[in-house]
Amino acid sequence: EGHEALGARALEVRAERGDSPAAGLLFELCVSNADKGAQPLEELRRRAEAVARRGQRLLITRASLYRDKASLCRGCDFVVGYDTYRRIVNPKYYMPPGKALDDASDAERREWVLAALEELREQGIRLLVAGRVEDDGSFSDLEQAPLFELPENMAGMILPIPGFRLDISSSSLRAAAAANAAGASAT
């Protein structure tokens, strides 16, 4: 429900900007997360069935990085939370072979991220970013903490989704569901 509400708000933001109408929402489920590795098959099945039950379209991929997703979904707007945006602009995902993050200068790290963002831009990708409640209870969004300044040729590529706030994460919901399932099976 939260992802659907976020998607609906993103469609509103597109309309407010005067963008051409979108064909609708397409949810993406990656079988392997860049940080967490492969998702268990049962978890993938459960999540895919939940999307299907709600009548939504789903794309299941192995594209763990957004530059890989971009090649599959050219010209799309990706709707992400601030936590995902933070990872998208994190240089650790773009280190060239033979380089170490700790040995790189801030300028080098910025260039790695810019090169990855340029790949997205070349594919016609924009990022629409919703704010997110942090673990400490604070709220972070692009307007308060943009994290990354874009060059002029990328202006408009990363856009805020104002007026959207849902103070629970999908990870929290999945953990609660797993705890409930474990409790139910123990009785």
Side-chain angles (χ1 to χ4, degrees), residues 29-75:
L29 177 60
C30 185
V31 300
S32 182
N33 182 293
D35 291 317
K36 302 172 192 169
Q39 302 292 313
L41 182 59
E42 270 311 304
E43 176 63 13
L44 292 168
R45 181 176 292 127
R46 186 191 66 72
R47 292 168 69 182
E49 288 171 354
V51 172
R53 274 194 307 276
R54 298 187 69 80
Q56 297 290 347
R57 298 179 305 150
L58 178 66
L59 175 65
I60 299 173
T61 75
R62 292 185 180 276
S64 61
L65 297 177
Y66 274 81
R67 62 179 171 204
D68 301 328
K69 296 175 195 305
S71 66
L72 297 173
C73 302
R74 290 185 171 100

Side-chain angles (χ1 to χ4, degrees), residues 1-15 22 24-27 56 77-81 128 130 161 164 166:
E1 291 177 24
H3 287 115
E4 284 181 83
L6 175 56
R9 179 63 186 126
L11 291 174
E12 290 172 3
V13 168
R14 285 177 46 91
L25 298 174
L26 174 63
F27 291 86
Q56 297 290 347
D77 288 343
F78 286 100
V79 180
V80 300
L128 280 70
I161 300 176
F164 183 84
L166 189 61

Side-chain angles (χ1 to χ4, degrees), residues 1-186:
E1 291 177 24
H3 287 115
E4 284 181 83
L6 175 56
R9 179 63 186 126
L11 291 174
E12 290 172 3
V13 168
R14 285 177 46 91
E16 291 165 5
R17 292 179 46 83
D19 292 350
S20 60
L25 298 174
L26 174 63
F27 291 86
E28 187 255 355
L29 177 60
C30 185
V31 300
S32 182
N33 182 293
D35 291 317
K36 302 172 192 169
Q39 302 292 313
L41 182 59
E42 270 311 304
E43 176 63 13
L44 292 168
R45 181 176 292 127
R46 186 191 66 72
R47 292 168 69 182
E49 288 171 354
V51 172
R53 274 194 307 276
R54 298 187 69 80
Q56 297 290 347
R57 298 179 305 150
L58 178 66
L59 175 65
I60 299 173
T61 75
R62 292 185 180 276
S64 61
L65 297 177
Y66 274 81
R67 62 179 171 204
D68 301 328
K69 296 175 195 305
S71 66
L72 297 173
C73 302
R74 290 185 171 100
C76 287
D77 288 343
F78 286 100
V79 180
V80 300
Y82 188 84
D83 58 323
T84 299
Y85 160 72
R86 184 182 291 124
R87 289 189 298 273
I88 291 171
V89 297
N90 185 331
K92 82 175 190 175
Y93 298 105
Y94 313 114
M95 284 184 296
K99 289 283 192 173
L101 192 61
D102 292 338
D103 296 335
S105 69
D106 288 344
E108 285 177 301
R109 293 177 191 165
R110 179 173 170 72
E111 286 303 315
W112 300 344
V113 174
L114 283 173
L117 291 175
E118 179 60 24
E119 288 181 48
L120 297 183
R121 191 187 70 75
E122 288 172 356
Q123 301 289 343
I125 301 299
R126 289 189 309 184
L127 302 171
L128 280 70
V129 183
R132 180 74 179 238
V133 174
E134 304 290 349
D135 291 338
D136 66 3
S138 65
F139 186 75
S140 296
D141 64 14
L142 281 180
E143 293 164 333
Q144 296 171 10
L147 291 181
F148 199 85
E149 187 176 331
L150 293 174
E152 193 171 309
N153 71 321
M154 292 184 185
M157 184 182 156
I158 300 177
L159 304 168
I161 300 176
F164 183 84
R165 183 168 176 162
L166 189 61
D167 289 359
I168 189 155
S169 70
S170 54
S171 297
S172 298
L173 290 172
R174 284 191 297 273
N180 287 341
S185 65

